[in-house]
Amino acid sequence: MSQHYYRGNHGNFYPVQSQNNNVFQNRNQGRQQQQQQQFKKSGAVYSRIRNGNFEGDTIVNAWRATKMGLMKATVTPYAGANGKGREIVNSQGKSGNQDKEYQKMICTIQNTSLGTSQTYHVLMNLKTQVIVIQELGLCITPNGSGVTRKGKRVTGYFGKNFKS
């Protein structure tokens, strides 16, 4: 067992008593266990539509484990007013030179344990493929990878939108 020291008010080092030393070691072991046991609780799969009016566009299936049960989201392109093709929305940034293109999408969220289903109109950034559901404060993004508790490899993220 190694001896730990702390720095006093005058810059001198003093040995830590053994009782505090054990507490310090227990805290570090707890932190190491928490860091090792980080499991994914959400994921998203981005796929291309192979045929139909939206051929080549993106469809997204996402899932998220919550206290209220499993939440599934399906995001599909929005048909628009004429019912054909995709609708693109352009926006300019505050400085005026940051043009961004968004595609209108429809997001259907289902809670499997409660049996509820809700539909939202959302926008997907064409460059980053990030989908923001403002009403719920959630986002779906292709970034993120990890392993679930059962050992399955998962990519994507469906969860809290930290930027809003």
Side-chain angles (χ1 to χ4, degrees):
M1 189 164 99
S2 64
Q3 180 68 42
H4 292 279
Y5 297 92
Y6 71 94
R7 179 177 273 179
N9 293 338
H10 301 290
N12 296 332
F13 290 95
Y14 301 98
V16 177
Q17 295 178 1
S18 62
Q19 291 176 342
N20 293 340
N21 196 10
N22 289 338
V23 170
F24 179 74
Q25 286 178 346
N26 289 340
R27 285 183 188 162
N28 278 344
Q29 287 173 355
R31 286 185 190 138
Q32 289 172 355
Q33 287 175 354
Q34 286 176 353
Q35 290 173 352
Q36 292 171 355
Q37 296 178 353
Q38 294 260 333
F39 296 111
K40 289 275 292 178
K41 296 179 184 173
S42 69
V45 176
Y46 284 70
S47 306
R48 292 275 177 209
I49 299 174
R50 293 187 181 164
N51 52 21
N53 290 342
F54 298 104
E55 186 175 343
D57 283 353
T58 303
I59 187 168
V60 181
N61 292 308
W63 61 273
R64 179 177 190 228
T66 65
K67 292 178 184 177
M68 299 298 288
L70 183 64
M71 183 187 289
K72 292 181 183 179
T74 303
V75 185
T76 56
Y78 177 62
N82 59 6
K84 294 181 182 177
R86 63 182 187 181
E87 281 198 28
I88 303 294
V89 178
N90 291 321
S91 81
Q92 292 183 340
K94 292 179 183 176
S95 62
N97 61 359
Q98 300 172 352
D99 291 340
K100 294 181 182 178
E101 285 188 325
Y102 296 94
Q103 180 179 355
K104 287 186 178 181
M105 308 281 270
I106 296 290
C107 178
T108 304
I109 296 182
Q110 298 173 331
N111 190 319
T112 56
S113 64
L114 297 176
T116 59
S117 178
Q118 291 182 323
T119 303
Y120 300 96
H121 289 272
V122 296
L123 296 174
M124 178 179 75
N125 187 327
L126 289 176
K127 184 178 177 184
T128 62
Q129 292 190 325
V130 173
I131 301 164
V132 177
I133 309 165
Q134 288 188 342
E135 291 89 346
L136 300 176
L138 299 174
C139 75
I140 302 171
T141 179
N143 298 334
S145 63
V147 180
T148 63
R149 276 192 195 280
K150 294 185 179 179
K152 185 177 177 185
R153 299 265 323 135
V154 179
T155 60
Y157 172 75
F158 175 30
K160 223 174 185 182
N161 185 12
F162 295 104
K163 290 189 175 184
S164 64

